[in-house]
Amino acid sequence: MNEEGELERGPACTDNFQVVKFVYEDAEWQSVEQCFQAVKFQDPIRERIRLTLPGSQTDHDYGIDVWRIGREYGEFRRKDWDSVRLEIMYQINHAKYLQNPKLQEQLLSTGKRLIWGKPSTANWQVWNSLIQMQIRKEITEDKLKDGPLGGEGLKEALREQLQILYQYGLVDSMEHV
Protein backbone atom coordinates (compact mmCIF):
# COMPACT_ATOMS: atom_id res chain seq x y z
CA MET A 1 0.00 0.00 0.00
CA ASN A 2 1.44 3.36 -0.96
CA GLU A 3 1.39 6.68 0.90
CA GLU A 4 -1.97 7.57 -0.67
CA GLY A 5 -3.53 4.43 0.82
CA GLU A 6 -3.82 2.67 -2.55
CA LEU A 7 -2.90 -0.97 -3.05
CA GLU A 8 0.14 -1.46 -5.21
CA ARG A 9 1.77 -4.61 -6.45
CA GLY A 10 5.06 -5.67 -4.98
CA PRO A 11 8.28 -5.64 -7.01
CA ALA A 12 9.01 -8.40 -9.55
CA CYS A 13 10.70 -10.53 -6.89
CA THR A 14 7.32 -11.06 -5.19
CA ASP A 15 5.90 -12.80 -8.27
CA ASN A 16 6.16 -16.60 -8.07
CA PHE A 17 6.25 -16.71 -11.88
CA GLN A 18 9.47 -14.66 -12.02
CA VAL A 19 12.20 -16.71 -13.67
CA VAL A 20 15.18 -16.80 -11.31
CA LYS A 21 17.39 -19.80 -10.59
CA PHE A 22 17.79 -21.31 -7.12
CA VAL A 23 18.26 -24.72 -5.50
CA TYR A 24 15.63 -26.42 -3.38
CA GLU A 25 15.93 -29.99 -2.08
CA ASP A 26 19.17 -30.49 -4.02
CA ALA A 27 17.65 -29.63 -7.41
CA GLU A 28 17.92 -26.48 -9.51
CA TRP A 29 14.68 -24.63 -10.30
CA GLN A 30 13.85 -21.84 -12.72
CA SER A 31 11.01 -20.24 -10.73
CA VAL A 32 9.08 -20.60 -7.50
CA GLU A 33 6.02 -21.70 -9.48
CA GLN A 34 7.95 -24.43 -11.30
CA CYS A 35 9.33 -25.77 -8.03
CA PHE A 36 5.99 -25.55 -6.23
CA GLN A 37 4.15 -27.42 -8.99
CA ALA A 38 6.83 -30.13 -9.11
CA VAL A 39 7.10 -30.85 -5.38
CA LYS A 40 3.44 -31.86 -5.31
CA PHE A 41 4.53 -35.10 -6.99
CA GLN A 42 7.04 -37.93 -6.97
CA ASP A 43 9.15 -38.80 -10.00
CA PRO A 44 8.65 -39.08 -12.94
CA ILE A 45 6.07 -36.24 -12.84
CA ARG A 46 8.24 -34.13 -10.53
CA GLU A 47 11.22 -34.50 -12.87
CA ARG A 48 9.10 -33.72 -15.95
CA ILE A 49 8.13 -30.39 -14.42
CA ARG A 50 11.70 -29.70 -13.26
CA LEU A 51 12.99 -30.28 -16.78
CA THR A 52 10.40 -27.90 -18.27
CA LEU A 53 12.65 -24.92 -18.93
CA PRO A 54 11.66 -21.39 -19.91
CA GLY A 55 12.06 -20.63 -23.56
CA SER A 56 11.57 -17.27 -25.17
CA GLN A 57 8.17 -16.75 -23.55
CA THR A 58 7.53 -14.23 -20.80
CA ASP A 59 7.92 -15.17 -17.14
CA HIS A 60 4.14 -15.12 -16.87
CA ASP A 61 3.65 -17.50 -19.80
CA TYR A 62 6.29 -19.86 -18.41
CA GLY A 63 4.57 -19.78 -15.02
CA ILE A 64 1.25 -20.61 -16.63
CA ASP A 65 2.87 -23.48 -18.54
CA VAL A 66 4.23 -25.16 -15.40
CA TRP A 67 1.01 -24.40 -13.49
CA ARG A 68 -0.96 -26.22 -16.20
CA ILE A 69 1.34 -29.24 -16.06
CA GLY A 70 0.80 -29.39 -12.29
CA ARG A 71 -2.97 -29.24 -12.77
CA GLU A 72 -2.81 -31.93 -15.45
CA TYR A 73 -1.53 -34.51 -12.93
CA GLY A 74 -3.72 -33.49 -9.97
CA GLU A 75 -4.87 -37.03 -9.24
CA PHE A 76 -1.24 -38.06 -8.51
CA ARG A 77 -0.59 -35.24 -6.05
CA ARG A 78 0.82 -35.97 -2.60
CA LYS A 79 -1.92 -37.09 -0.22
CA ASP A 80 -0.87 -34.52 2.42
CA TRP A 81 -0.64 -31.64 -0.05
CA ASP A 82 -3.45 -29.48 1.29
CA SER A 83 -1.96 -29.57 4.79
CA VAL A 84 1.64 -28.77 3.74
CA ARG A 85 1.33 -26.51 0.69
CA LEU A 86 1.52 -23.16 2.51
CA GLU A 87 4.64 -24.18 4.44
CA ILE A 88 6.26 -25.56 1.28
CA MET A 89 5.54 -22.34 -0.64
CA TYR A 90 7.21 -20.41 2.19
CA GLN A 91 10.23 -22.77 2.16
CA ILE A 92 10.64 -22.42 -1.61
CA ASN A 93 10.48 -18.62 -1.42
CA HIS A 94 12.92 -18.70 1.49
CA ALA A 95 15.40 -20.67 -0.63
CA LYS A 96 14.96 -18.27 -3.56
CA TYR A 97 15.69 -15.20 -1.46
CA LEU A 98 18.51 -16.78 0.52
CA GLN A 99 20.37 -17.59 -2.71
CA ASN A 100 19.64 -14.29 -4.49
CA PRO A 101 20.83 -11.24 -2.52
CA LYS A 102 19.64 -8.84 -5.25
CA LEU A 103 16.11 -10.13 -4.72
CA GLN A 104 16.51 -9.49 -1.00
CA GLU A 105 17.35 -5.87 -1.84
CA GLN A 106 14.27 -5.61 -4.05
CA LEU A 107 12.06 -6.98 -1.30
CA LEU A 108 13.58 -4.63 1.26
CA SER A 109 12.86 -1.71 -1.09
CA THR A 110 9.21 -2.07 -0.10
CA GLY A 111 10.08 -0.73 3.34
CA LYS A 112 7.26 -1.47 5.75
CA ARG A 113 4.56 -1.15 3.12
CA LEU A 114 1.91 -3.77 2.74
CA ILE A 115 2.74 -6.25 -0.02
CA TRP A 116 -0.38 -7.36 -1.88
CA GLY A 117 0.03 -10.30 -4.25
CA LYS A 118 -1.30 -10.59 -7.76
CA PRO A 119 -4.81 -12.02 -8.12
CA SER A 120 -4.61 -15.79 -7.89
CA THR A 121 -6.54 -18.96 -7.23
CA ALA A 122 -8.02 -19.98 -3.86
CA ASN A 123 -6.33 -18.15 -0.96
CA TRP A 124 -3.02 -17.63 -2.75
CA GLN A 125 -3.29 -13.86 -3.09
CA VAL A 126 -3.47 -13.66 0.71
CA TRP A 127 -0.94 -16.42 1.37
CA ASN A 128 1.64 -15.00 -1.05
CA SER A 129 1.31 -11.60 0.60
CA LEU A 130 1.88 -13.15 4.03
CA ILE A 131 4.91 -15.10 2.82
CA GLN A 132 6.55 -12.07 1.18
CA MET A 133 6.02 -9.86 4.23
CA GLN A 134 7.33 -12.57 6.57
CA ILE A 135 10.47 -13.10 4.49
CA ARG A 136 11.00 -9.33 4.36
CA LYS A 137 10.82 -9.29 8.16
CA GLU A 138 13.40 -12.10 8.36
CA ILE A 139 15.75 -10.21 6.03
CA THR A 140 15.29 -6.99 8.01
CA GLU A 141 16.04 -8.79 11.28
CA ASP A 142 19.02 -10.65 9.70
CA LYS A 143 17.34 -14.01 10.36
CA LEU A 144 16.97 -15.32 6.80
CA LYS A 145 20.24 -17.22 7.10
CA ASP A 146 18.93 -19.01 10.23
CA GLY A 147 16.84 -21.26 8.02
CA PRO A 148 13.15 -21.37 7.24
CA LEU A 149 10.55 -21.42 9.97
CA GLY A 150 8.30 -24.44 10.19
CA GLY A 151 5.24 -25.83 11.90
CA GLU A 152 3.65 -23.73 14.62
CA GLY A 153 6.48 -21.16 14.50
CA LEU A 154 5.67 -20.41 10.88
CA LYS A 155 1.91 -20.32 11.52
CA GLU A 156 2.42 -17.85 14.36
CA ALA A 157 4.64 -15.64 12.20
CA LEU A 158 2.14 -15.69 9.31
CA ARG A 159 -0.74 -14.87 11.68
CA GLU A 160 1.22 -11.78 12.73
CA GLN A 161 1.40 -10.73 9.07
CA LEU A 162 -2.28 -11.64 8.57
CA GLN A 163 -3.19 -9.12 11.25
CA ILE A 164 -1.85 -6.39 8.94
CA LEU A 165 -4.09 -7.53 6.07
CA TYR A 166 -7.03 -7.71 8.48
CA GLN A 167 -6.42 -4.15 9.70
CA TYR A 168 -6.57 -2.91 6.10
CA GLY A 169 -9.79 -4.84 5.47
CA LEU A 170 -8.19 -7.11 2.86
CA VAL A 171 -9.34 -10.24 4.70
CA ASP A 172 -12.52 -10.65 6.66
CA SER A 173 -11.21 -13.11 9.23
CA MET A 174 -8.04 -14.40 10.83
CA GLU A 175 -8.77 -17.96 9.62
CA HIS A 176 -6.46 -17.94 6.58
CA VAL A 177 -3.51 -19.56 8.35
Side-chain angles (χ1 to χ4, degrees):
M1 187 163 290
N2 62 25
E3 290 78 25
E4 291 81 38
E6 300 167 337
L7 286 175
E8 61 181 31
R9 299 245 195 293
C13 66
T14 64
D15 185 349
N16 292 331
F17 286 8
Q18 179 189 41
V19 173
V20 59
K21 290 183 182 180
F22 63 94
V23 174
Y24 178 77
E25 293 185 346
D26 300 320
E28 185 176 82
W29 303 96
Q30 307 300 313
S31 73
V32 168
E33 188 66 24
Q34 178 206 29
C35 182
F36 184 74
Q37 293 302 325
V39 299
K40 294 178 183 180
F41 308 102
Q42 298 295 318
D43 285 335
I45 298 168
R46 179 182 172 132
E47 188 66 1
R48 175 178 180 228
I49 296 171
R50 193 183 74 75
L51 294 175
T52 300
L53 301 176
S56 60
Q57 76 260 51
T58 65
D59 289 4
H60 176 78
D61 288 345
Y62 173 67
I64 292 294
D65 286 350
V66 294
W67 177 80
R68 284 186 179 137
I69 295 170
R71 302 282 296 180
E72 180 180 323
Y73 293 106
E75 66 191 87
F76 301 106
R77 191 174 67 187
R78 299 168 49 155
K79 300 294 183 226
D80 66 346
W81 185 246
D82 287 341
S83 65
V84 299
R85 63 188 176 172
L86 179 57
E87 186 167 342
I88 289 174
M89 179 62 88
Y90 161 80
Q91 291 171 352
I92 293 168
N93 270 282
H94 186 280
K96 174 186 84 168
Y97 282 107
L98 184 65
Q99 297 167 44
N100 291 282
K102 288 186 179 190
L103 299 183
Q104 292 178 40
E105 291 173 21
Q106 286 179 20
L107 188 59
L108 287 175
S109 75
T110 63
K112 293 184 178 186
R113 293 191 308 269
L114 181 136
I115 297 172
W116 190 236
K118 287 185 173 183
S120 190
T121 56
N123 288 318
W124 283 109
Q125 186 172 31
V126 171
W127 290 342
N128 286 326
S129 298
L130 301 177
I131 289 167
Q132 297 299 321
M133 291 190 299
Q134 176 56 35
I135 291 175
R136 178 181 63 195
K137 179 181 178 188
E138 292 172 30
I139 296 167
T140 301
E141 295 175 354
D142 200 29
K143 293 183 178 178
L144 191 69
K145 65 185 178 308
D146 295 344
L149 298 172
E152 286 305 312
L154 175 60
K155 286 181 181 178
E156 185 179 316
L158 293 179
R159 280 188 203 106
E160 182 182 311
Q161 301 302 329
L162 183 60
Q163 183 65 38
I164 297 167
L165 299 183
Y166 184 75
Q167 288 171 344
Y168 282 105
L170 296 170
V171 294
D172 55 7
S173 77
M174 293 294 290
E175 301 299 318
H176 291 273
V177 177

